């Protein structure tokens, strides 16, 4: 399959975007949510696939155990704002669906699990009107930018990443797809303070003890599991299990070049240490402090 050239970033209502996520804007904004929809919201590379797979196993692991090993994650959990060039249904090719509004509209399963990377101010209003539950996952900035860098290297559907120093610089300036990490994590954090329907998870907490975080998720969603079901989910969402599973590792996605880097790359907290130089780290910390002064949001960069 011949791929289109890499997309260019542009300013979209104050947020850097690419057309893959803005071409279907009206339909996205007019999306009709259902009260039992569950949204997984993240800044890219914060653990979206991890929590998406967890929720899918939680809701459908028992009734359709084959689902997690036969349906790509992008079909089980459609990516609301995604639309491939010239293909508004979100179909990248005949074999892989990438969700989007149309796919979500047609989803027979209930609840629908819906993925979005939208900053909080762009979330379609129907989700708020229907009082939907939303699980937001955030990851510390340093590991997040490293993961994003490798993702942009291997994903031809992302803008050209350039070299690491320039990528890091652009991350600090918010010139990434879906905009500034700072605005994203802080925007959702503020919203969560007044909206009990938002659960705010941390990648680092998941990495530390995914069983404990699974219990938090279940309690938020009002689910109770048998010990056997709980063990199955914990096992299914382990890094090695997901890396091996072609329905979660994106090996079916033609835009991704696994010769450059795998999608399930390291899955670690603290990998930033092998990328940041001492001076990059000092510079980063200085800017970080400035940008995070007026928030109570705190991250761990090691566990
Ligand atoms: P790394 O690039 O640091 O390895 P997203 O799904 O939001 O694109 O996030 C992808 C990141 O989450 C990748 O990080 C990937 O390895 C990590 N990830 C996905 N599943 C995971 C799991 N089960 N355990 C730990 N990390 C996981």
């Amino acid at each position: 399959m011949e791929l289109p050239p890499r997309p260019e970033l542009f300013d979209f209502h104050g947020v850097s975007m690419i057309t893959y996520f803005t071409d279907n804007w009206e339909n996205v904004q007019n999306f009709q949510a259902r009260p039992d929809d569950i949204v997984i919201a993240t800044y890219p590379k914060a653990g979206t696939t991890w929590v998406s797979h967890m929720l899918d196993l939680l809701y459908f692991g028992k009734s359709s155990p084959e689902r997690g090993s036969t349906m790509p994650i992008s079909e089980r959990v459609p990516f609301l704002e995604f639309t491939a060039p010239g293909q508004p249904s979100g179909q990248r090719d005949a074999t892989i669906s990438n969700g989007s509004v149309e796919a979500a509209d047609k989803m027979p399963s209930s609840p629908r699990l819906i993925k979005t990377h939208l900053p909080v101010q762009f979330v379609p209003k129907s989700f708020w009107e229907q009082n939907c539950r939303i699980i937001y996952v955030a990851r510390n900035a340093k590991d997040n930018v490293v993961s994003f860098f490798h993702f942009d290297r291997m994903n031809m559907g992302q803008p050209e990443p350039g070299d690491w120093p320039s990528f890091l610089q652009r991350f600090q300036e918010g010139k990434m797809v879906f905009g500034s990490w700072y605005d994203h994590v802080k925007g959702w954090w503020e919203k969560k303070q007044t909206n009990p329907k938002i659960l705010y998870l941390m990648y680092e907490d998941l990495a530390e003890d995914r069983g404990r975080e699974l219990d938090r998720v279940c309690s938020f969603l009002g689910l109770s599991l048998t010990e056997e079901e709980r063990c199955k989910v914990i096992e299914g969402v382990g890094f090695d299990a997901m890396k091996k599973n072609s329905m979660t590792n994106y090996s079916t996605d033609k835009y991704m070049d696994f010769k450059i880097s795998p999608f399930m790359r390291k899955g670690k907290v603290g990998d930033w240490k092998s990328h940041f130089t001492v001076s990059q780290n000092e510079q980063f910390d200085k800017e970080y402090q400035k940008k995070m002064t007026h928030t109570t949001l705190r991250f761990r960069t090691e566990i």
Side-chain angles (χ1 to χ4, degrees):
M1 183 179 96
E2 195 166 329
L3 298 174
R6 281 175 178 267
E8 299 277 342
L9 269 188
F10 62 93
D11 181 84
F12 186 75
H13 304 294
V15 176
S16 295
M17 283 293 238
I18 53 177
T19 54
Y20 291 9
F21 305 117
T22 59
D23 269 0
N24 205 21
W25 199 246
E26 224 179 287
N27 290 331
V28 169
Q29 288 306 307
N30 292 326
F31 183 73
Q32 290 305 301
R34 302 177 195 154
D36 65 344
D37 286 344
I38 298 168
V39 179
I40 298 139
T42 58
Y43 187 74
K45 312 317 292 173
T48 330
T49 316
W50 198 357
V51 173
S52 299
H53 188 52
M54 179 189 277
L55 292 193
D56 189 69
L57 291 181
L58 268 177
Y59 280 101
F60 306 109
K62 207 163 135 197
S63 57
S64 341
E66 71 298 337
R67 205 175 135 100
S69 53
T70 56
M71 271 173 91
I73 193 70
S74 52
E75 276 178 33
R76 290 179 281 146
V77 184
F79 184 1
L80 185 67
E81 60 274 18
F82 178 79
T83 179
Q87 295 167 301
S89 72
Q91 297 283 129
R92 268 184 177 174
D93 62 36
T95 58
I96 181 165
S97 156
N98 285 280
S100 92
V101 170
E102 203 178 299
D105 279 342
K106 286 192 197 137
M107 264 177 107
S109 52
S110 175
R112 294 185 300 187
L113 306 173
I114 297 172
K115 155 182 164 178
T116 185
H117 287 317
L118 292 174
V120 70
Q121 70 275 21
F122 287 170
V123 171
K125 67 175 187 319
S126 183
F127 286 112
W128 307 120
E129 288 166 355
Q130 298 295 334
N131 220 4
C132 297
R133 286 167 301 183
I134 302 178
I135 299 185
Y136 185 80
V137 193
R139 185 177 194 182
N140 81 75
K142 293 179 182 176
D143 284 323
N144 207 138
V145 62
V146 167
S147 182
F148 214 158
F149 175 60
H150 291 293
F151 182 66
D152 281 7
R153 288 172 55 234
M154 61 86 82
N155 186 346
M156 303 308 137
Q158 286 286 112
E160 188 61 57
D163 61 10
W164 164 244
S166 70
F167 191 86
L168 186 59
Q169 178 60 35
R170 274 180 286 122
F171 179 86
Q172 291 294 55
E173 293 164 6
K175 292 188 182 136
M176 299 277 117
V177 182
F178 292 103
S180 156
W181 175 91
Y182 297 94
D183 293 346
H184 209 285
V185 297
K186 286 192 290 184
W188 277 97
W189 180 251
E190 295 316 318
K191 185 78 179 176
K192 172 220 137 66
Q193 307 310 317
T194 54
N195 187 331
K197 292 289 187 148
I198 300 174
L199 176 70
Y200 202 103
L201 294 181
M202 296 287 182
Y203 181 98
E204 293 72 32
D205 294 343
L206 278 159
E208 185 176 63
D209 187 344
R210 61 185 190 272
R212 179 191 63 207
E213 297 307 299
L214 172 65
D215 295 342
R216 281 186 69 205
V217 167
C218 285
S219 130
F220 173 71
L221 298 171
L223 300 174
S224 63
L225 303 180
T226 64
E227 196 45 37
E228 195 193 340
E229 286 160 358
R230 184 175 180 273
C231 287
K232 265 200 179 144
V233 177
I234 292 175
E235 202 186 313
V237 301
F239 181 80
D240 293 337
M242 284 183 61
K243 190 175 170 78
K244 262 189 252 151
N245 183 349
S246 58
M247 299 296 119
T248 52
N249 67 15
Y250 280 93
S251 54
T252 52
D253 191 316
K254 306 285 184 293
Y255 278 61
M256 299 191 191
D257 186 345
F258 284 68
K259 291 194 287 302
I260 299 177
S261 179
F263 177 86
M264 297 286 301
R265 197 182 54 89
K266 292 215 173 145
K268 292 241 150 47
V269 178
D271 185 43
W272 62 270
K273 291 178 191 168
S274 57
H275 289 75
F276 282 64
T277 64
V278 172
S279 87
Q280 280 170 348
N281 194 34
E282 282 169 4
Q283 191 65 29
F284 193 94
D285 284 346
K286 239 191 240 163
E287 280 187 53
Y288 186 92
Q289 270 183 357
K290 271 191 232 154
K291 293 190 167 104
M292 296 294 275
T293 14
H294 301 295
T295 177
T296 52
L297 179 57
R298 295 285 175 270
F299 286 89
R300 291 190 287 169
T301 52
E302 49 197 319
I303 52 173

